[in-house]
Amino acid sequence: MLSAFTARPIVDLKQRDKSKIESILAYGDRLLVGLSSGSLRIYRVNDDFDREPKHNGEPIDVSLGQANAKAVDLLREVEKFSRRGIEQLAMIKEANLLVSLSDSFVSIHDLQTFNLQEQLSQTKGAATFAVTSNIVKDKASGIPSIVSRVVVSVKRKLVLWSWHDSELSSSAVEILLPAPPRTLTWATGTKVICGMNSGYVFVDVETKGITDIIGPGSIGGSGGPDAGRFGGAGTAGMSYMGMSNWVPKGLATKLSENKLLLAKDINTLFIDSEGEVLEKRQIPWSVAPEAIGFSYPFLLSLQSASKGGLEIRNPETLSLLQTISLPAATTLHVPQPNISLAHAGKGFLVASDRCIWRMGALGYDSQINELVAKKLFDEAISLLNLLEDALLDDKEGNLRDVKMLKAQGLFERRKFREALDLFTEASAPPERVIRLYPDVISGGLTRPSKKRKSSQSETNGTIDHLEPKSPPRSIKRPSSRRSSIHSNKASSILSSPQRVRSGDETASTSAFVVENRDLPNAVRELNAFLVDARTRLQRFLNPDGTIKPQEESSTNGSLLSTYDSLLLGSASDTGKAKESQLLETAQLVDTTLFRGYMLAQPSLAGPLFRLNNFCDPDVVNEKLFEKGRYNDLVDFFNGKNLHRPALELLKRFGQSDKEDPAAPFLHGPLRTITYLQTLPSKYADLVLEFAQWPLESDPDEAMEIFVADSENAETLPRNKVLEFLAMRSSRLAVVYLEHIITELNDLTPDFHNRLVNLYIERLKSRKSDKDHSNLAFEDLDERNAWLEKLVEFLRLSHQYSTAKAFGQLPRDEAEFNEARAVVLSRMGQHKQALEIYVFNMENYAKAESYCNHVFLEESDSSQPSQNLRQPSTIEENEAPPSIYHTLLSLYLAPKPPNKPNWPPALDLLSKHGSRLPASSTMELLPTEFPIKELESYFQGRMRAANSTVNQDRIVAGLQKIEVLDAQARLLLGDGIANGNGGRNRKVVIREERLCGICHRRLGAGVISVFPE
């Protein structure tokens, strides 16, 4: 049970006083007591008495006789306040009025002098009344005003009076009801709940609308699902026997802004401020209460006078938290919210016929600690949710701590899912949760190794003599001596009066041990919690282990709170210490998650390694080797940048003669090739070291390491790769050079020269050469293909050294003639190149194609003005001889021992006669040569000359038309509206014409006409 309130008697009538207490009213430091004799006593409540007395720091019980200070001082007694007993008191503070019910009349008194101002004659026969005050905005002007209302129950009707800013309205409003109400409770400023013998009605005083409230049993209506429990007819059916006074009153109280409680007999019903029923179970009362009330945040119920007890309940859980014995208590008075602050519900009063008790409340933090100490975690959580943040020192922290304590209790009761869900909701420190598990999961809570930096970079260790069931030697086995986090003693829940301690500094120990049969289920729930913890950690940690910069914003406090929730102890203020703490937590979370996956969900271990993680390499290495999961081990090594152990593991399994059943995908070079392709250029030495055996096993597939369309392959150091490949095979070196030159457009001259050199060296080799076994071709087709690639490369590339290439080409081998011709062309030696085509190769088609290529290159490089005229008719004597003239001279005037060759010469004259000057061409022809054979040549020449003349005529005609068009626009204008009028336009000036700029009359002055 909770000790939320302490009853302290403040008024006790003396034995000689024959009066009885009928009603009470408290406001400020004043206490008004209405007596059965009609007298009104006014007391002043002393503040010192309201403070909780202590002895040696501990609270003590206080009775009226033991108090050092007087609880109240009697200021005044108004003996003839009323002719009979004062049944009810209330006040309208804004109008400075005191309202009383006595002798079945409601009277209005002055609150200062207590003089009677008016007895409301319309209230004759009144049974009860209710007062409310609210701030209402005017619908038209929007100006707020204070509206106070008094509603009085007079037999079967309600009589309503209203005050607007302390001014009474002109007349009262009457509302007829189906039965006499016995209780009145304001739900809002305009709606009142009337409790009658037959049930409850909801009355809108503005519209006079009446709505029945349907509830179970005696609440009213046809009864709900609980009607059988309370009896179908209820007690209301007995009223016809004249027992209406025995029927319990319909009680009501407002719990919050939009929630009310109705109680009749032992039946209860929760409704909202609109009268709608809320789905909530009934309060388990064994005896019908005499009165109910709400003192923030608790629900109060006063038992009958014979019981003499006050029950304190949680309005959310409806649990009984405290019972206070108050002999013969009959009256419960809670100050109105507009008189006393809602959270200051420490001043409500309980009265009997002879005594008044003031209820002193324990501090809210102390109440929470007391509930936690009694392991009433649900009540503590509910109370924390009800209380406002300002009423607690650390509401968020306390709520989180209580949830963690509740979760630990659920865990010990083997409710693992509920426990871990609550740990997740509370953002519990991962270490606290992991400590609940045995060493097979927690690993003794090993702190992350200080060698983490080395685990994130490439190591130079080896795993020689690797066996499938033994871990790599470069990864040390987990040490048997682990640095564990131990709790010296359980933290006291009440170690601080201001904060619930749940293990943030020293986690509470638990003797509970998860049994083997429960461990898989418990671990599966732990895995879900750890995944959430990883997500929280990613808000602060980069994948490389550095802390992310946090933006300065209004949410910085919540970010700091989230950061602290990840750590079991208090967070450090320094950046380095924070980083170290987070890294330790991240490694603990990921390593524990790996252990959990391996135990309960093995299929999820692999995907974990393919994400950025902080798993302890020693633990992972040991577990995976123990389970024979070598493929996952390779993925883990890759994620931790431990590439050498991974590659050695792949080499071991890849080069084995037989496929290992435990690692079938690691057999052969394919897995190694794929792994090497993922390594960036900074691991180039490692790539070249472990690429050797895949190149020997499958050269074509292994070349994808260097020629794949990926950033890693493109950024490898090309000189190193070329030397590495050239040492093993010139063919592989050529493949790599062709890739970087043609695909990557590498213009480095050394690479171009090297490719030419490799082409020539292999072409010069023979299949029978023993010293060049790696250079020999398999068949003639392969050799011809290489020769074609050499010629094409020599023709297209501009980066290689022509002198070196020409010196390397053999002069006495006919298959290199075309290559030599291409190199001579690059050197500008066109005549020598043509001599090779004409005399050595006797390939006149290639010679003509060569001339066409050279002619087009020269035409593109010439000036545009020179391209308009053909050299055949203009300045022939000054034009240099064309490439076609050089070829014609080789046909008609070759050097001995070669003889003139007429057929290709005539073919050349027929096709390209327009490009051969007549004078120089005719000089090459012998005098006895028949003119008839030159018919096609002369036709071409004349056709070219006519084309030039016609072109000049067309250009001259177009220029004349352009001149005429310009003259017409100048003289006549362009013919467009508001356009240029030309020189023939005119302007008429009259006497009334004004200047468009200065607005002066033009008259006979100087006239200026602007073009626009």
Side-chain angles (χ1 to χ4, degrees):
M1 300 294 286
L2 177 66
S3 300
F5 295 96
T6 303
R8 300 176 184 176
I10 58 175
V11 175
D12 193 2
L13 299 183
K14 299 179 180 180
Q15 292 183 355
R16 64 175 179 270
D17 194 341
K18 302 302 181 182
S19 301
K20 295 182 180 180
I21 299 175
E22 293 284 342
S23 59
I24 55 177
L25 173 65
Y27 63 96
D29 63 345
R30 293 294 186 268
L31 174 61
L32 307 184
V33 180
L35 302 179
S36 59
S37 61
S39 300
L40 178 69
R41 293 181 182 178
I42 299 93
Y43 295 92
R44 180 180 62 203
V45 181
N46 296 321
D47 292 338
D48 294 338
F49 181 80
D50 193 43
R51 297 174 184 173
E52 183 179 18
K54 296 184 178 181
H55 177 70
N56 296 329
E58 297 294 333
I60 59 174
D61 293 333
V62 178
S63 63
L64 186 62
Q66 293 174 334
N68 296 326
K70 292 180 65 176
V72 294
D73 293 323
L74 180 60
L75 300 180
R76 180 182 176 186
E77 181 174 357
V78 182
E79 294 184 353
K80 296 183 180 181
F81 184 82
S82 175
R83 291 183 300 173
R84 297 193 179 182
I86 306 172
E87 300 176 18
Q88 190 176 353
L89 291 172
M91 63 174 291
I92 303 176
K93 184 177 181 181
E94 294 72 26
N96 198 30
L97 299 177
L98 177 64
V99 184
S100 67
L101 173 62
S102 177
D103 196 17
S104 299
F105 279 96
V106 174
S107 303
I108 305 298
H109 304 260
D110 185 273
L111 188 59
Q112 299 298 326
T113 62
F114 304 104
N115 294 329
L116 177 65
Q117 293 187 352
E118 181 181 1
Q119 186 180 63
L120 303 177
S121 59
Q122 292 176 270
T123 63
K124 182 179 180 181
T128 184
F129 69 89
V131 177
T132 185
S133 296
N134 301 274
I135 298 177
V136 180
K137 286 187 178 180
D138 185 80
K139 294 181 180 179
S141 63
I143 299 175
S145 61
I146 300 177
V147 178
S148 300
R149 292 184 173 94
V150 175
V151 60
V152 184
S153 169
V154 182
K155 298 181 181 180
R156 290 183 56 191
K157 63 181 179 181
L158 295 181
V159 185
L160 177 71
W161 285 268
S162 299
W163 283 261
H164 293 267
D165 289 332
S166 72
E167 294 183 4
L168 179 64
S169 299
S170 58
S171 60
V173 178
E174 295 186 358
I175 302 173
L176 186 62
L177 299 179
R182 299 180 63 188
T183 59
L184 298 175
T185 305
W186 286 100
T188 64
T190 59
K191 297 177 181 180
V192 63
I193 297 175
C194 303
M196 303 175 295
N197 290 339
S198 58
Y200 292 87
V201 293
F202 204 75
V203 180
D204 190 327
V205 297
E206 291 184 333
T207 64
K208 299 185 180 181
I210 301 174
T211 305
D212 291 331
I213 299 177
I214 306 300
S218 58
I219 290 292
S222 59
D226 297 324
R229 169 192 167 193
F230 304 104
T235 55
M238 300 182 183
S239 59
Y240 75 94
M241 298 180 181
M243 300 178 64
S244 59
N245 290 332
W246 178 86
V247 177
K249 294 188 297 184
L251 306 177
T253 185
K254 192 170 184 178
L255 301 180
S256 61
E257 189 65 26
N258 297 311
K259 190 174 181 181
L260 296 97
L261 170 65
L262 309 183
K264 190 172 186 182
D265 199 359
I266 59 173
N267 301 319
T268 58
L269 184 69
F270 290 88
I271 63 171
D272 61 14
S273 57
E274 299 298 325
E276 298 295 331
V277 178
L278 303 178
E279 293 294 334
K280 196 174 183 66
R281 67 185 182 90
Q282 295 200 18
I283 299 176
W285 278 323
S286 58
V287 179
E290 287 292 321
I292 60 174
F294 180 74
S295 177
Y296 181 86
F298 298 107
L299 173 63
L300 313 175
S301 62
L302 185 63
Q303 297 177 352
S304 61
S306 60
K307 297 287 184 180
L310 177 68
E311 291 185 353
I312 313 296
R313 292 181 181 269
N314 186 322
E316 293 298 325
T317 65
L318 307 182
S319 301
L320 179 61
L321 300 179
Q322 184 181 7
T323 300
I324 303 175
S325 178
L326 300 172
T330 57
T331 304
L332 174 63
H333 172 70
V334 181
Q336 295 173 257
N338 59 320
I339 299 175
S340 175
L341 294 178
H343 63 263
K346 306 173 182 180
F348 75 92
L349 305 174
V350 179
S352 65
D353 293 343
R354 309 292 298 176
C355 182
I356 300 176
W357 293 271
R358 182 179 179 87
M359 310 307 293
L362 189 66
Y364 293 123
D365 289 294
S366 300
Q367 293 181 28
I368 299 299
N369 286 337
E370 185 177 350
L371 290 172
V372 171
K374 295 177 180 179
K375 296 187 177 182
L376 300 175
F377 301 125
D378 288 327
E379 301 299 331
I381 293 172
S382 176
L383 183 58
L384 284 167
N385 289 326
L386 290 173
L387 292 171
E388 299 174 1
D389 294 356
L391 304 180
L392 297 165
D393 292 335
D394 184 8
K395 175 180 177 178
E396 183 180 354
N398 282 334
L399 184 60
R400 174 173 175 262
D401 293 341
V402 176
K403 286 182 178 180
M404 287 190 291
L405 289 173
K406 178 185 175 182
Q408 182 169 337
L410 292 171
F411 189 88
E412 293 174 357
R413 296 198 298 273
R414 292 180 173 83
K415 296 182 179 180
F416 303 116
R417 172 166 295 185
E418 294 86 344
L420 271 298
D421 287 347
L422 193 55
F423 275 129
T424 302
E425 179 185 342
S427 299
E431 184 175 337
R432 171 183 173 83
V433 180
I434 294 170
R435 291 176 62 180
L436 299 174
Y437 286 80
D439 288 349
V440 68
I441 296 299
S442 65
L445 284 181
T446 305
R447 283 296 185 183
S449 172
K450 294 182 179 180
K451 297 180 180 180
R452 169 169 178 79
K453 184 177 180 181
S454 64
S455 69
Q456 293 292 335
S457 60
E458 177 57 38
T459 62
N460 295 322
T462 61
I463 55 172
D464 297 334
H465 310 292
L466 178 67
E467 296 298 334
K469 294 299 181 181
S470 61
R473 295 182 181 179
S474 60
I475 306 298
K476 298 180 181 180
R477 286 183 175 272
S479 173
S480 60
R481 298 181 60 187
R482 296 183 179 272
S483 56
S484 303
I485 302 175
H486 297 287
S487 175
N488 295 328
K489 60 179 180 179
S491 62
S492 172
I493 297 175
L494 299 175
S495 57
S496 170
Q498 305 298 333
R499 173 73 181 269
V500 176
R501 299 296 179 184
S502 65
D504 282 351
E505 288 79 13
T506 55
S508 58
T509 59
S510 175
F512 175 76
V513 178
V514 181
E515 298 179 0
N516 291 335
R517 60 186 176 87
D518 297 327
L519 189 57
N521 292 334
V523 170
R524 273 190 288 269
E525 302 304 329
L526 174 65
N527 292 343
F529 169 80
L530 294 176
V531 169
D532 177 77
R534 291 188 84 247
T535 304
R536 287 189 283 148
L537 282 165
Q538 289 172 1
R539 298 181 60 188
F540 302 96
L541 278 180
N542 291 312
D544 59 354
T546 58
I547 294 183
K548 292 181 179 180
Q550 302 296 332
E551 297 182 359
E552 294 291 338
S553 65
S554 60
T555 60
N556 191 36
S558 63
L559 286 175
L560 181 60
S561 175
T562 306
Y563 170 78
D564 291 338
S565 71
L566 293 166
L567 307 177
L568 188 61
S570 58
S572 175
D573 295 333
T574 61
K576 289 293 183 181
K578 282 184 178 180
E579 183 174 344
S580 176
Q581 288 175 329
L582 281 179
L583 280 176
E584 291 176 356
T585 303
Q587 183 165 351
L588 177 63
V589 169
D590 286 354
T591 304
T592 306
L593 182 60
F594 162 71
R595 290 193 182 101
Y597 281 157
M598 291 299 294
L599 178 67
Q601 298 166 296
S603 60
L604 297 180
L608 174 63
F609 302 144
R610 287 183 277 277
L611 301 174
N612 294 315
N613 63 83
F614 298 92
C615 293
D616 188 346
D618 294 338
V619 175
V620 174
N621 181 52
E622 180 185 30
K623 283 287 184 183
L624 292 181
F625 260 90
E626 179 183 342
K627 300 294 184 180
R629 301 185 60 169
Y630 307 110
N631 195 39
D632 290 338
L633 183 57
V634 171
D635 292 337
F636 173 73
F637 283 152
N638 185 20
K640 306 300 285 186
N641 292 332
L642 299 173
H643 301 301
R644 181 175 293 278
L647 289 169
E648 290 181 352
L649 184 65
L650 290 173
K651 181 179 179 180
R652 178 64 179 176
F653 283 97
Q655 288 185 326
S656 61
D657 297 334
K658 295 182 180 180
E659 182 179 300
D660 193 321
F665 297 104
L666 303 185
H667 184 70
L670 184 60
R671 186 69 174 85
T672 301
I673 293 170
T674 305
Y675 190 97
L676 291 174
Q677 286 180 293
T678 63
L679 298 183
S681 58
K682 64 180 180 179
Y683 298 106
D685 294 336
L686 200 63
V687 171
L688 297 179
E689 178 183 348
F690 286 93
Q692 182 172 352
W693 77 268
L695 287 171
E696 295 173 355
S697 177
D698 190 352
D700 294 335
E701 193 70 31
M703 279 303 295
E704 290 297 316
I705 301 171
F706 309 106
V707 301
D709 186 14
S710 64
E711 182 180 358
N712 292 337
E714 294 176 7
T715 55
L716 287 172
R718 295 172 183 176
N719 286 319
K720 283 187 176 182
V721 174
L722 179 59
E723 294 301 327
F724 169 77
L725 295 174
M727 291 175 59
R728 282 149 185 82
S729 172
S730 61
R731 185 179 67 84
L732 300 179
V734 168
V735 172
Y736 181 70
L737 286 171
E738 289 176 346
H739 171 73
I740 63 175
I741 291 174
T742 59
E743 300 293 335
L744 305 182
N745 196 27
D746 194 317
L747 302 179
T748 305
D750 290 342
F751 292 152
H752 289 249
N753 290 327
R754 185 67 176 275
L755 182 57
V756 172
N757 183 40
L758 290 173
Y759 278 141
I760 296 174
E761 283 185 2
R762 193 173 187 208
L763 288 168
K764 288 162 65 174
S765 66
R766 293 295 181 265
K767 187 172 182 179
S768 58
D769 292 346
K770 295 182 180 180
D771 297 336
H772 302 85
S773 58
N774 64 329
L775 302 177
F777 297 100
E778 295 295 333
D779 51 32
L780 184 60
D781 293 339
E782 185 183 1
R783 182 180 180 83
N784 292 336
W786 273 65
L787 185 60
E788 291 178 3
K789 289 195 292 184
L790 171 62
V791 174
E792 187 68 16
F793 182 75
L794 292 174
R795 182 180 290 112
L796 297 178
S797 176
H798 295 268
Q799 307 302 323
Y800 65 89
S801 173
T802 55
K804 289 182 180 180
F806 190 75
Q808 290 178 337
L809 292 170
R811 296 174 181 271
D812 53 352
E813 295 187 20
E815 62 181 357
F816 291 100
N817 285 335
E818 186 174 4
R820 292 174 58 243
V822 172
V823 175
L824 288 171
S825 174
R826 285 291 177 207
M827 299 172 68
Q829 303 297 328
H830 301 301
K831 185 174 183 179
Q832 288 85 340
L834 288 173
E835 287 177 351
I836 293 175
Y837 284 119
V838 173
F839 301 124
N840 296 350
M841 299 177 61
E842 297 182 358
N843 192 332
Y844 308 121
K846 286 190 176 182
E848 183 182 352
S849 177
Y850 177 82
C851 291
N852 294 336
H853 179 71
V854 173
F855 179 80
L856 292 176
E857 285 185 348
E858 291 177 352
S859 299
D860 292 340
S861 62
S862 61
Q863 298 294 331
S865 60
Q866 296 177 355
N867 292 336
L868 297 176
R869 296 177 178 271
Q870 298 293 333
S872 58
T873 59
I874 300 175
E875 300 178 358
E876 288 184 353
N877 296 330
E878 297 180 3
S882 66
I883 187 65
Y884 296 102
H885 185 273
T886 303
L887 179 58
L888 184 62
S889 65
L890 292 177
Y891 286 149
L892 300 178
K895 295 180 180 180
N898 299 309
K899 297 179 180 181
N901 195 343
W902 294 103
L906 293 175
D907 185 64
L908 182 66
L909 289 171
S910 175
K911 293 180 180 179
H912 305 283
S914 62
R915 298 169 182 172
L916 292 169
S919 59
S920 58
T921 302
M922 298 305 294
E923 290 177 358
L924 294 174
L925 297 174
T927 56
E928 66 276 6
F929 191 80
I931 297 299
K932 183 180 180 180
E933 300 292 339
L934 299 177
E935 179 181 0
S936 61
Y937 167 70
F938 287 119
Q939 287 179 351
R941 291 292 302 169
M942 288 185 289
R943 188 179 297 110
N946 290 335
S947 298
T948 303
V949 173
N950 292 336
Q951 180 179 351
D952 291 343
R953 289 177 179 176
I954 292 172
V955 171
L958 293 174
Q959 289 177 345
K960 288 181 181 180
I961 293 174
E962 185 178 6
V963 170
L964 290 175
D965 185 62
Q967 291 176 350
R969 289 196 305 271
L970 179 63
L971 295 174
L972 304 177
D974 51 17
I976 302 175
N978 299 324
N980 184 11
R983 292 180 176 177
N984 292 335
R985 62 176 177 164
K986 61 181 179 179
V987 179
V988 179
I989 304 299
R990 295 186 175 87
E991 294 182 357
E992 64 273 11
R993 185 72 179 267
L994 301 178
C995 176
I997 298 176
C998 64
H999 303 292
R1000 295 179 59 186
R1001 188 180 302 278
L1002 295 177
V1006 178
I1007 304 302
S1008 297
V1009 178
F1010 296 97
E1012 64 274 6

